[in-house]
PDB file of all heavy atoms in Angstrom:
ATOM      1  N   GLY A  19    -193.504   1.943  58.354  1.00  0.00           N
ATOM      2  CA  GLY A  19    -192.534   1.667  57.308  1.00  0.00           C
ATOM      3  C   GLY A  19    -192.290   2.908  56.484  1.00  0.00           C
ATOM      4  O   GLY A  19    -192.981   3.911  56.615  1.00  0.00           O
ATOM      5  N   LEU A  20    -191.304   2.840  55.642  1.00  0.00           N
ATOM      6  CA  LEU A  20    -190.973   3.949  54.759  1.00  0.00           C
ATOM      7  C   LEU A  20    -191.650   3.748  53.417  1.00  0.00           C
ATOM      8  O   LEU A  20    -191.847   2.625  52.965  1.00  0.00           O
ATOM      9  CB  LEU A  20    -189.460   4.026  54.556  1.00  0.00           C
ATOM     10  CG  LEU A  20    -188.623   4.258  55.809  1.00  0.00           C
ATOM     11  CD1 LEU A  20    -187.146   4.117  55.495  1.00  0.00           C
ATOM     12  CD2 LEU A  20    -188.913   5.622  56.402  1.00  0.00           C
ATOM     13  N   SER A  21    -191.954   4.841  52.757  1.00  0.00           N
ATOM     14  CA  SER A  21    -192.585   4.744  51.441  1.00  0.00           C
ATOM     15  C   SER A  21    -191.574   4.228  50.429  1.00  0.00           C
ATOM     16  O   SER A  21    -190.359   4.325  50.612  1.00  0.00           O
ATOM     17  CB  SER A  21    -193.109   6.109  50.992  1.00  0.00           C
ATOM     18  OG  SER A  21    -192.030   6.958  50.656  1.00  0.00           O
ATOM     19  N   ARG A  22    -192.066   3.680  49.342  1.00  0.00           N
ATOM     20  CA  ARG A  22    -191.215   3.177  48.263  1.00  0.00           C
ATOM     21  C   ARG A  22    -190.317   4.294  47.722  1.00  0.00           C
ATOM     22  O   ARG A  22    -189.157   4.073  47.412  1.00  0.00           O
ATOM     23  CB  ARG A  22    -192.083   2.602  47.152  1.00  0.00           C
ATOM     24  CG  ARG A  22    -191.291   1.966  46.032  1.00  0.00           C
ATOM     25  CD  ARG A  22    -192.196   1.338  45.001  1.00  0.00           C
ATOM     26  NE  ARG A  22    -192.989   0.257  45.525  1.00  0.00           N
ATOM     27  CZ  ARG A  22    -192.635  -1.023  45.491  1.00  0.00           C
ATOM     28  NH1 ARG A  22    -191.486  -1.352  44.944  1.00  0.00           N
ATOM     29  NH2 ARG A  22    -193.414  -1.953  45.989  1.00  0.00           N
ATOM     30  N   ASP A  23    -190.871   5.516  47.640  1.00  0.00           N
ATOM     31  CA  ASP A  23    -190.083   6.653  47.151  1.00  0.00           C
ATOM     32  C   ASP A  23    -188.890   6.953  48.054  1.00  0.00           C
ATOM     33  O   ASP A  23    -187.792   7.219  47.582  1.00  0.00           O
ATOM     34  CB  ASP A  23    -190.947   7.903  47.014  1.00  0.00           C
ATOM     35  CG  ASP A  23    -191.927   7.822  45.852  1.00  0.00           C
ATOM     36  OD1 ASP A  23    -191.687   7.027  44.927  1.00  0.00           O
ATOM     37  OD2 ASP A  23    -192.922   8.563  45.880  1.00  0.00           O
ATOM     38  N   VAL A  24    -189.111   6.917  49.356  1.00  0.00           N
ATOM     39  CA  VAL A  24    -188.021   7.174  50.307  1.00  0.00           C
ATOM     40  C   VAL A  24    -186.962   6.089  50.184  1.00  0.00           C
ATOM     41  O   VAL A  24    -185.758   6.370  50.134  1.00  0.00           O
ATOM     42  CB  VAL A  24    -188.553   7.254  51.761  1.00  0.00           C
ATOM     43  CG1 VAL A  24    -187.406   7.270  52.761  1.00  0.00           C
ATOM     44  CG2 VAL A  24    -189.433   8.482  51.937  1.00  0.00           C
ATOM     45  N   ILE A  25    -187.380   4.846  50.098  1.00  0.00           N
ATOM     46  CA  ILE A  25    -186.444   3.733  49.963  1.00  0.00           C
ATOM     47  C   ILE A  25    -185.638   3.880  48.680  1.00  0.00           C
ATOM     48  O   ILE A  25    -184.406   3.734  48.683  1.00  0.00           O
ATOM     49  CB  ILE A  25    -187.189   2.383  50.004  1.00  0.00           C
ATOM     50  CG1 ILE A  25    -187.774   2.180  51.403  1.00  0.00           C
ATOM     51  CG2 ILE A  25    -186.260   1.239  49.610  1.00  0.00           C
ATOM     52  CD1 ILE A  25    -188.749   1.036  51.504  1.00  0.00           C
ATOM     53  N   ASN A  26    -186.296   4.201  47.580  1.00  0.00           N
ATOM     54  CA  ASN A  26    -185.583   4.382  46.310  1.00  0.00           C
ATOM     55  C   ASN A  26    -184.572   5.517  46.391  1.00  0.00           C
ATOM     56  O   ASN A  26    -183.469   5.417  45.849  1.00  0.00           O
ATOM     57  CB  ASN A  26    -186.566   4.624  45.161  1.00  0.00           C
ATOM     58  CG  ASN A  26    -187.255   3.360  44.728  1.00  0.00           C
ATOM     59  OD1 ASN A  26    -186.742   2.262  44.903  1.00  0.00           O
ATOM     60  ND2 ASN A  26    -188.437   3.500  44.155  1.00  0.00           N
ATOM     61  N   ARG A  27    -184.929   6.609  47.067  1.00  0.00           N
ATOM     62  CA  ARG A  27    -184.002   7.734  47.208  1.00  0.00           C
ATOM     63  C   ARG A  27    -182.760   7.324  47.998  1.00  0.00           C
ATOM     64  O   ARG A  27    -181.643   7.718  47.665  1.00  0.00           O
ATOM     65  CB  ARG A  27    -184.687   8.924  47.871  1.00  0.00           C
ATOM     66  CG  ARG A  27    -185.509   9.751  46.914  1.00  0.00           C
ATOM     67  CD  ARG A  27    -185.863  11.112  47.489  1.00  0.00           C
ATOM     68  NE  ARG A  27    -186.571  11.068  48.747  1.00  0.00           N
ATOM     69  CZ  ARG A  27    -187.902  11.053  48.883  1.00  0.00           C
ATOM     70  NH1 ARG A  27    -188.672  11.077  47.814  1.00  0.00           N
ATOM     71  NH2 ARG A  27    -188.460  11.030  50.074  1.00  0.00           N
ATOM     72  N   VAL A  28    -182.957   6.543  49.055  1.00  0.00           N
ATOM     73  CA  VAL A  28    -181.819   6.102  49.869  1.00  0.00           C
ATOM     74  C   VAL A  28    -180.890   5.223  49.038  1.00  0.00           C
ATOM     75  O   VAL A  28    -179.667   5.405  49.042  1.00  0.00           O
ATOM     76  CB  VAL A  28    -182.301   5.343  51.134  1.00  0.00           C
ATOM     77  CG1 VAL A  28    -181.127   4.685  51.848  1.00  0.00           C
ATOM     78  CG2 VAL A  28    -183.040   6.282  52.071  1.00  0.00           C
ATOM     79  N   ILE A  29    -181.460   4.300  48.292  1.00  0.00           N
ATOM     80  CA  ILE A  29    -180.640   3.414  47.465  1.00  0.00           C
ATOM     81  C   ILE A  29    -179.912   4.203  46.383  1.00  0.00           C
ATOM     82  O   ILE A  29    -178.717   4.014  46.159  1.00  0.00           O
ATOM     83  CB  ILE A  29    -181.491   2.266  46.877  1.00  0.00           C
ATOM     84  CG1 ILE A  29    -181.952   1.351  48.018  1.00  0.00           C
ATOM     85  CG2 ILE A  29    -180.704   1.483  45.824  1.00  0.00           C
ATOM     86  CD1 ILE A  29    -182.975   0.321  47.617  1.00  0.00           C
ATOM     87  N   GLN A  30    -180.607   5.118  45.726  1.00  0.00           N
ATOM     88  CA  GLN A  30    -179.974   5.935  44.687  1.00  0.00           C
ATOM     89  C   GLN A  30    -178.863   6.813  45.266  1.00  0.00           C
ATOM     90  O   GLN A  30    -177.847   7.045  44.609  1.00  0.00           O
ATOM     91  CB  GLN A  30    -181.010   6.796  43.966  1.00  0.00           C
ATOM     92  CG  GLN A  30    -181.908   5.998  43.037  1.00  0.00           C
ATOM     93  CD  GLN A  30    -181.128   5.245  41.984  1.00  0.00           C
ATOM     94  OE1 GLN A  30    -180.255   5.789  41.322  1.00  0.00           O
ATOM     95  NE2 GLN A  30    -181.426   3.965  41.835  1.00  0.00           N
ATOM     96  N   LYS A  31    -179.069   7.279  46.488  1.00  0.00           N
ATOM     97  CA  LYS A  31    -178.057   8.108  47.147  1.00  0.00           C
ATOM     98  C   LYS A  31    -176.738   7.345  47.304  1.00  0.00           C
ATOM     99  O   LYS A  31    -175.660   7.928  47.267  1.00  0.00           O
ATOM    100  CB  LYS A  31    -178.573   8.559  48.513  1.00  0.00           C
ATOM    101  CG  LYS A  31    -177.620   9.419  49.291  1.00  0.00           C
ATOM    102  CD  LYS A  31    -178.222   9.822  50.623  1.00  0.00           C
ATOM    103  CE  LYS A  31    -177.243  10.627  51.444  1.00  0.00           C
ATOM    104  NZ  LYS A  31    -177.786  10.955  52.767  1.00  0.00           N
ATOM    105  N   HIS A  32    -176.821   6.033  47.451  1.00  0.00           N
ATOM    106  CA  HIS A  32    -175.635   5.200  47.672  1.00  0.00           C
ATOM    107  C   HIS A  32    -175.205   4.444  46.423  1.00  0.00           C
ATOM    108  O   HIS A  32    -174.278   3.633  46.482  1.00  0.00           O
ATOM    109  CB  HIS A  32    -175.902   4.219  48.822  1.00  0.00           C
ATOM    110  CG  HIS A  32    -176.069   4.910  50.133  1.00  0.00           C
ATOM    111  ND1 HIS A  32    -175.007   5.312  50.901  1.00  0.00           N
ATOM    112  CD2 HIS A  32    -177.181   5.298  50.787  1.00  0.00           C
ATOM    113  CE1 HIS A  32    -175.458   5.918  51.979  1.00  0.00           C
ATOM    114  NE2 HIS A  32    -176.775   5.926  51.935  1.00  0.00           N
ATOM    115  N   PHE A  58    -181.047  -4.370  52.114  1.00  0.00           N
ATOM    116  CA  PHE A  58    -180.711  -3.144  52.812  1.00  0.00           C
ATOM    117  C   PHE A  58    -181.672  -2.968  53.978  1.00  0.00           C
ATOM    118  O   PHE A  58    -182.882  -3.027  53.791  1.00  0.00           O
ATOM    119  CB  PHE A  58    -180.843  -1.926  51.882  1.00  0.00           C
ATOM    120  CG  PHE A  58    -179.853  -1.898  50.762  1.00  0.00           C
ATOM    121  CD1 PHE A  58    -180.224  -2.259  49.486  1.00  0.00           C
ATOM    122  CD2 PHE A  58    -178.555  -1.490  50.986  1.00  0.00           C
ATOM    123  CE1 PHE A  58    -179.322  -2.224  48.451  1.00  0.00           C
ATOM    124  CE2 PHE A  58    -177.633  -1.453  49.956  1.00  0.00           C
ATOM    125  CZ  PHE A  58    -178.008  -1.820  48.687  1.00  0.00           C
ATOM    126  N   ILE A  60    -182.999  -0.222  56.268  1.00  0.00           N
ATOM    127  CA  ILE A  60    -183.048   1.234  56.316  1.00  0.00           C
ATOM    128  C   ILE A  60    -183.827   1.652  57.554  1.00  0.00           C
ATOM    129  O   ILE A  60    -184.964   1.217  57.756  1.00  0.00           O
ATOM    130  CB  ILE A  60    -183.709   1.788  55.035  1.00  0.00           C
ATOM    131  CG1 ILE A  60    -182.932   1.307  53.804  1.00  0.00           C
ATOM    132  CG2 ILE A  60    -183.779   3.306  55.078  1.00  0.00           C
ATOM    133  CD1 ILE A  60    -183.599   1.621  52.488  1.00  0.00           C
ATOM    134  N   ASP A  61    -183.216   2.503  58.382  1.00  0.00           N
ATOM    135  CA  ASP A  61    -183.889   2.927  59.609  1.00  0.00           C
ATOM    136  C   ASP A  61    -184.938   4.004  59.318  1.00  0.00           C
ATOM    137  O   ASP A  61    -185.078   4.468  58.182  1.00  0.00           O
ATOM    138  CB  ASP A  61    -182.881   3.368  60.673  1.00  0.00           C
ATOM    139  CG  ASP A  61    -182.131   4.645  60.344  1.00  0.00           C
ATOM    140  OD1 ASP A  61    -182.590   5.431  59.481  1.00  0.00           O
ATOM    141  OD2 ASP A  61    -181.075   4.872  60.956  1.00  0.00           O
ATOM    142  N   GLY A  62    -185.677   4.385  60.331  1.00  0.00           N
ATOM    143  CA  GLY A  62    -186.769   5.348  60.192  1.00  0.00           C
ATOM    144  C   GLY A  62    -186.331   6.721  59.718  1.00  0.00           C
ATOM    145  O   GLY A  62    -187.137   7.482  59.179  1.00  0.00           O
ATOM    146  N   ALA A  63    -185.051   7.033  59.886  1.00  0.00           N
ATOM    147  CA  ALA A  63    -184.530   8.323  59.431  1.00  0.00           C
ATOM    148  C   ALA A  63    -184.019   8.252  57.993  1.00  0.00           C
ATOM    149  O   ALA A  63    -183.528   9.233  57.457  1.00  0.00           O
ATOM    150  CB  ALA A  63    -183.394   8.783  60.358  1.00  0.00           C
ATOM    151  N   GLY A  64    -184.125   7.063  57.369  1.00  0.00           N
ATOM    152  CA  GLY A  64    -183.692   6.909  55.991  1.00  0.00           C
ATOM    153  C   GLY A  64    -182.216   6.586  55.827  1.00  0.00           C
ATOM    154  O   GLY A  64    -181.667   6.701  54.745  1.00  0.00           O
ATOM    155  N   ARG A  65    -181.572   6.129  56.907  1.00  0.00           N
ATOM    156  CA  ARG A  65    -180.154   5.749  56.843  1.00  0.00           C
ATOM    157  C   ARG A  65    -180.041   4.235  56.707  1.00  0.00           C
ATOM    158  O   ARG A  65    -180.824   3.500  57.303  1.00  0.00           O
ATOM    159  CB  ARG A  65    -179.420   6.196  58.098  1.00  0.00           C
ATOM    160  CG  ARG A  65    -179.308   7.703  58.237  1.00  0.00           C
ATOM    161  CD  ARG A  65    -178.502   8.072  59.470  1.00  0.00           C
ATOM    162  NE  ARG A  65    -179.104   7.532  60.680  1.00  0.00           N
ATOM    163  CZ  ARG A  65    -179.833   8.235  61.544  1.00  0.00           C
ATOM    164  NH1 ARG A  65    -180.027   9.520  61.341  1.00  0.00           N
ATOM    165  NH2 ARG A  65    -180.356   7.671  62.606  1.00  0.00           N
ATOM    166  N   ILE A  66    -179.054   3.808  55.930  1.00  0.00           N
ATOM    167  CA  ILE A  66    -178.817   2.372  55.803  1.00  0.00           C
ATOM    168  C   ILE A  66    -178.080   1.909  57.049  1.00  0.00           C
ATOM    169  O   ILE A  66    -176.978   2.360  57.334  1.00  0.00           O
ATOM    170  CB  ILE A  66    -178.017   2.035  54.532  1.00  0.00           C
ATOM    171  CG1 ILE A  66    -178.863   2.376  53.313  1.00  0.00           C
ATOM    172  CG2 ILE A  66    -177.605   0.567  54.525  1.00  0.00           C
ATOM    173  CD1 ILE A  66    -178.196   2.134  51.987  1.00  0.00           C
TER     174      ILE A  66
END
Side-chain angles (χ1 to χ4, degrees):
L20 299 172
S21 72
R22 184 176 297 267
D23 289 338
V24 170
I25 293 169
N26 284 335
R27 278 196 303 268
V28 170
I29 293 170
Q30 287 302 312
K31 180 180 177 183
H32 294 278
F58 293 102
I60 302 172
D61 68 19
R65 293 183 301 258
I66 294 178

